[in-house]
Amino acid sequence: MTNNYYPFFNLPLPYDYSALLPFIDEKTMELHHDRHLQTYINNLNATLADYPQLQELSLVQLIQNAYRLPEPLQTNIRNNAGGVYNHRFFFHGMIPPGSSDNLPQRNLAQEIDRQFGSFAAFRESFQKSALSVFGSGYAWLVVCRGQLMIITTANQNSPLAQNLCPILTIDVWEHAYYLKHYNLRTDYIDDWFHVINWQAAEKNYLACMHARA
Ligand code: MN
């Protein structure tokens, strides 16, 4: 992903708004990208405009170092830098249905089988976690000390702040699914499994393992 430094701008989606149909609808994608993500970008830029030293930090560094900042700046950066990073990561983690065999690939596939027993077992456990998020947040597959782990984060908190390396995420804020799935988060999670970009996940997994070495 490009545009890692201030000033941030809204990169176009890597596919059309309607590309994830019938699993995720066009209006949701348009509002989610053009309004929700745009708002985080605007707020982050507005905050950083007053702090030239923070403008030197990359998006990832901002998230990783937010805890050093005084309040309320800390919360502001956590929410808005997190909101930009998490949404970009989520959008790039999806691909139009039918463009792949929609299963984990090579190294990640092997590791999922090794650690969870099977893809079906992984899927069940990921679904459970995504359902368990109370209020707004995300479920993630991350690497923690070389091991795969499923975690959830509240609001726009990012695994980067806990030194975890993200592989895959689902946004379970209601704005991510309410127009199509109403309150049925389970149906949304099922649909999301059809549009996971496993190629991107494999790439992220290799990058996480490489960063450890
Ligand atoms: Mn969102």
Side-chain angles (χ1 to χ4, degrees):
M1 269 176 261
T2 51
N3 184 227
N4 295 315
Y5 287 87
Y6 175 88
F8 294 96
F9 51 85
N10 207 352
L11 302 163
L13 284 174
Y15 40 75
D16 291 339
Y17 298 120
S18 60
L20 305 180
L21 282 167
F23 301 106
I24 301 186
D25 64 286
E26 183 173 356
K27 197 70 192 167
T28 295
M29 291 307 296
E30 187 191 328
L31 295 173
H32 204 170
H33 178 269
D34 292 7
R35 299 205 196 178
H36 290 275
L37 172 52
Q38 186 69 56
T39 301
Y40 289 110
I41 288 172
N42 296 346
N43 291 343
L44 181 59
N45 284 336
T47 300
L48 294 178
D50 298 332
Y51 296 94
Q53 4 34 308
L54 294 183
Q55 294 171 17
E56 313 281 308
L57 301 182
S58 70
L59 185 59
V60 169
Q61 289 170 329
L62 284 166
I63 293 168
Q64 288 174 334
N65 291 287
Y67 73 93
R68 301 171 194 273
L69 300 170
E71 291 291 3
L73 182 59
Q74 178 178 142
T75 299
N76 183 324
I77 296 287
R78 187 189 304 120
N79 288 343
N80 291 303
V84 176
Y85 180 88
N86 295 346
H87 278 107
R88 285 178 172 181
F89 197 89
F90 170 64
F91 291 139
H92 280 84
M94 296 188 288
I95 196 168
S99 20
S100 69
D101 59 6
N102 207 243
L103 284 170
Q105 301 182 357
R106 297 182 294 279
N107 297 275
L108 181 56
Q110 223 170 53
E111 199 54 23
I112 283 176
D113 284 347
R114 196 180 73 77
Q115 286 193 45
F116 295 91
S118 66
F119 176 65
F122 158 76
R123 185 181 160 132
E124 199 186 318
S125 156
F126 194 91
Q127 280 168 316
K128 257 189 206 149
S129 286
L131 262 182
S132 79
V133 176
F134 183 75
S136 298
Y138 294 77
W140 303 80
L141 177 65
V142 301
V143 171
C144 172
R145 297 193 188 91
Q147 300 293 306
L148 295 179
M149 202 163 88
I150 296 169
I151 65 156
T152 64
T153 55
N155 304 315
Q156 293 300 348
N157 295 350
S158 175
L160 295 176
Q162 305 169 54
N163 274 316
L164 301 171
C165 190
I167 298 173
L168 189 68
T169 192
I170 182 170
D171 182 341
V172 294
W173 284 57
E174 279 188 346
H175 66 231
Y177 61 91
Y178 202 86
L179 288 183
K180 175 173 159 58
H181 301 90
Y182 305 121
N183 58 327
L184 302 176
R185 192 189 286 180
T186 314
D187 291 359
Y188 162 61
I189 298 166
D190 276 342
D191 276 350
W192 173 77
F193 263 90
H194 290 274
V195 292
I196 295 175
N197 186 346
W198 286 109
Q199 211 177 335
E202 169 78 0
K203 234 172 107 183
N204 293 334
Y205 174 66
L206 294 177
C208 288
M209 297 309 282
H210 183 77
R212 259 178 63 78

